[in-house]
């Protein structure tokens, strides 16, 4: 079986011409002469036997055949890079660093327990952890900035393993006006009061956590700030049950008695950037995150149990 006539470098050159808008720009990006770029693309078209680019004004534009082949060539380059990454991983045997993204709603105690188990076996592996909100943990996967992500959304092209469900509870200070209505609280009631929402750390699909559409809102960038504002009596917020648990038990926060259809929950997934090339350190950390999550789930109180606990605290 004969080998391919076109090299990866030729496809890479074509991609550069298209991505950078012309031969001169591609030459600058690839640190080559413009004549070298022109020759490489011309040779590619000759070997393929069809025109892939034509000039419109001063810009190189793809033909229909060029568009089809360019997309396939991108996959080809990605696969070639992946093969090299696998080789590097096999050669090193152990990663120098593991980059982990975690959604802010993932319980910190799970991470701490997982890190405590991982550290003695880490062989000096560095840890880079970034905390994201909503779409942020998925976005960094797509941008290939992390090896592992704990995210509420599994982006297309990735496989996620469900870690846990997260229940959110709407809470306010015990003296907040919403607690004094003496009835079930409706969405209309909520829109009449200040709502503290958490901003999405993602850029491409940014949205605010739990926002009901009211103009009466303050936006913060993390759970800690939202919780502190609510503890001080400034509005209400939806907070993960495990984050609110301690404050509800102490009587510092009380769950709002909402109409049933206003309850909120979600799920978190553990997602590898690329499991086929994940090194032993990444896989070891992932295994500890999973086992520590299961241990944590068995110890959690339900919202109903917390309501009973808060009533006992008031008594």
């Amino acid at each position: 079986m004969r080998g391919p006539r076109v090299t990866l470098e030729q496809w890479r050159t074509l991609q550069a011409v298209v991505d950078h808008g012309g031969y001169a720009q591609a030459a600058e990006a690839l640190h080559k002469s413009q004549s070298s770029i022109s020759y490489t693309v011309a040779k590619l078209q000759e070997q393929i036997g069809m025109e892939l680019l034509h000039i419109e004004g001063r810009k190189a534009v793809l033909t229909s055949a060029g568009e089809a082949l360019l997309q396939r060539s991108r996959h080809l380059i990605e696969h070639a890079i992946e093969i090299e990454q696998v080789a590097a991983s096999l050669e090193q045997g152990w990663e120098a660093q593991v980059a982990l993204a975690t959604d802010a709603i993932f319980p910190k105690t799970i991470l701490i327990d997982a890190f405590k188990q991982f550290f003695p076996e880490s062989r000096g592996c560095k840890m880079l952890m970034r905390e994201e909100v909503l779409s942020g943990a998925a976005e960094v996967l797509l941008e290939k900035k992390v090896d592992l992500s704990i995210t509420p959304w599994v982006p297309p092209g990735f496989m996620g393993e469900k870690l846990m469900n997260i229940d959110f509870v709407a809470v306010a200070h015990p003296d907040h006006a919403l607690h004094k209505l003496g009835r079930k609280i409706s969405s209309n009631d909520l829109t009449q009061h200040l709502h503290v929402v958490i901003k999405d750390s993602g850029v491409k699909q940014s949205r605010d956590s739990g926002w009901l559409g009211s103009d009466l809102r303050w936006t913060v960038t993390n759970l800690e700030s939202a919780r502190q504002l609510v503890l001080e009596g400034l509005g209400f917020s939806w907070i993960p049950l495990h984050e609110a648990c301690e404050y509800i038990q102490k009587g510092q926060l009380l769950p709002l008695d909402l109409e049933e259809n206003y309850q909120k929950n979600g799920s978190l997934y553990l997602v590898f950037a690329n499991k086929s090339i994940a090194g032993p350190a990444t896989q070891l950390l992932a295994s500890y995150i999973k086992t520590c999550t299961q241990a944590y789930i068995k110890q959690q109180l339900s919202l109903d149990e917390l309501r009973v606990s808060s009533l006992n605290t008031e008594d």
Side-chain angles (χ1 to χ4, degrees):
M1 184 177 71
R2 68 177 180 81
R5 289 176 295 178
V6 179
T7 66
L8 291 175
E9 184 60 26
Q10 286 175 296
W11 288 122
R12 178 170 171 261
T13 302
L14 176 66
Q15 292 171 18
V17 172
V18 174
D19 293 344
H20 295 283
Y23 290 87
Q25 297 90 329
E28 183 177 353
L30 297 179
H31 306 291
K32 294 184 176 181
S33 66
Q34 185 172 339
S35 60
S36 172
I37 298 295
S38 298
Y39 174 79
T40 300
V41 173
K43 188 67 175 177
L44 167 61
Q45 294 181 107
E46 178 186 328
Q47 291 169 316
I48 289 293
M50 64 180 66
E51 185 183 42
L52 303 179
L53 287 171
H54 64 270
I55 302 300
E56 291 185 4
R58 295 186 176 182
K59 189 173 182 180
V61 178
L62 284 168
T63 64
S64 58
E67 289 181 1
L69 293 178
L70 178 69
Q71 188 58 39
R72 288 178 177 270
S73 77
R74 292 192 191 281
H75 294 310
L76 183 65
I77 296 295
E78 287 176 2
H79 290 157
I81 292 172
E82 182 178 308
I83 290 171
E84 292 179 2
Q85 289 174 336
V86 171
S89 178
L90 291 172
E91 179 186 11
Q92 294 173 3
W94 197 267
E95 304 97 297
Q97 175 177 282
V98 174
L100 168 70
T102 176
D103 193 277
I105 64 174
F106 188 63
K108 301 295 186 298
T109 54
I110 298 178
L111 282 177
I112 292 170
D113 288 344
F115 290 164
K116 283 181 177 178
Q117 295 185 45
F118 174 73
F119 179 69
E121 302 179 52
S122 62
R123 304 185 190 180
C125 176
K126 297 178 181 178
M127 169 70 65
L128 174 61
M129 190 187 87
R130 53 191 302 158
E131 190 172 76
E132 304 288 344
V133 177
L134 293 173
S135 69
E139 193 168 287
V140 292
L141 273 174
L142 291 167
E143 295 173 350
K144 301 182 179 180
K145 292 181 178 179
V146 295
D147 304 299
L148 197 63
S149 185
I150 300 168
T151 171
W153 175 61
V154 180
F158 291 82
M159 296 291 289
E161 182 176 351
K162 186 175 178 179
L163 282 176
M164 65 189 303
N165 293 321
I166 298 288
D167 292 321
F168 291 80
V169 55
V171 292
H173 189 276
D175 295 331
H176 194 280
L178 285 167
H179 289 303
K180 304 183 187 302
L181 293 177
R183 56 174 170 77
K184 292 282 187 179
I185 298 168
S186 68
S187 61
N188 185 59
D189 294 326
L190 294 177
T191 59
Q192 307 305 310
H193 295 271
L194 179 64
H195 184 186
V196 180
V197 300
I198 304 169
K199 182 177 177 59
D200 193 335
S201 64
V203 176
K204 297 177 181 177
Q205 294 185 342
S206 182
R207 51 185 180 260
D208 291 331
S209 175
W211 182 43
L212 297 174
S214 169
D215 289 333
L216 288 172
R217 65 164 176 164
W218 285 4
T219 302
V220 297
T221 59
N222 56 70
L223 277 171
E224 289 74 13
S225 296
R227 185 178 59 218
Q228 193 59 42
L229 288 174
V230 177
L231 281 167
E232 295 296 332
L234 289 167
F236 71 94
S237 185
W238 261 276
I239 293 177
L241 187 56
H242 62 268
E243 290 279 346
C245 180
E246 175 186 351
Y247 303 95
I248 292 174
Q249 290 175 319
K250 291 179 179 179
Q252 296 173 298
L253 293 175
L254 286 180
L256 297 175
D257 191 12
L258 301 176
E259 294 181 352
E260 185 177 356
N261 57 326
Y262 299 129
Q263 302 302 319
K264 296 181 181 292
N265 53 63
S267 300
L268 287 173
Y269 302 86
L270 184 65
V271 185
F272 285 87
N274 190 329
K275 195 168 185 178
S276 66
I277 65 170
T282 302
Q283 296 193 43
L284 181 64
L285 177 60
S287 70
Y288 283 137
I289 289 173
K290 288 187 285 187
T291 56
C292 290
T293 299
Q294 290 305 309
Y296 176 89
I297 290 172
K298 295 177 181 178
Q299 303 171 358
Q300 295 311 293
L301 293 174
S302 69
L303 179 54
D304 288 339
E305 290 171 325
L306 272 178
R307 288 188 189 281
V308 172
S309 175
S310 64
L311 288 173
N312 292 336
T313 300
E314 289 178 350
D315 296 339

